[in-house]
Amino acid sequence: MSEDSSWMMRPPKPPVLGDEYFRKPSPARMWNYLQGGDDNYPLDRTAGDMMASAFPDIFYLAKQTRKFLMRAAHYVATEGGVRQFMDIGCGLPGPRDLRDLHEVVQEIHPDARVVYVDSDPVVLAHAQAWLVSSTPEGVCTYLEADVHDPGTILAEAAETLDFDRPTAICLLGILGHVAEFEEACAIVDRLVAAVPSGSYLIVADGFDDGGPLHQGVADRNTTGIDPYHLRRVEQFRRYLRGLEIIEPDIGPVTSWRPDPAEADGLRPALQYGGVARKP
């Protein structure tokens, strides 16, 4: 990690986005819409509504995925004592009723360091909100990088994170953007290999039910948005190979240590997730 980290607290320069960028839906903006946010445009909402016409539960799934990440991060920060987090494919800041990752972990450890990573230029335009809301003791920064290039992600994140210390790697809804499953596995393996014992992997992606969600994703992929690929349960297990899976195992994100105050009103979501510790 760089000795001089003062640059990390400076807001990134927003990108200059040409008109062509707004002629097709953005995965980050569409997901923001599905979560109930307002950082989106009509074409993003059209893509989301097309998906919802086949799978109305997509709005529920999107919100529950964010809540899963917050519960998982809370567990890793408290039970695991982890103070470093890297959220790859972070998307846009959540809507007002859903917390962001650094808010959760810096409440537990004010000196926690969080690196957000995404390749969508529009996310960079909103990243300043994360940086300025970090605790004074902690660090919150943003990298514009693609999940297909874990080498670049690790090299640039090392300016903020100390990879000799336990680190949580968060991959929520991003591995589905890697078309080839073996490549997705290789990306996970490369990332996990870079962090020490006591680190954690938090992962979630859409479950291929062969039914409404499958059709909804197929409809979504016709809108010009970057394609998404659903996974099966055995594929989720491959992501966590060699790691200690934290109870209650892999399953719907709604089943992973739900908030007791909400548990009775939850139903299974076709977004599967898991949390695992590197031994």
Side-chain angles (χ1 to χ4, degrees), residues 255-275:
S255 300
W256 201 91
R257 300 174 181 255
D259 183 339
E262 298 182 357
D264 289 344
L266 294 175
R267 59 186 185 277
L270 289 179
Q271 184 89 337
Y272 271 41
V275 180

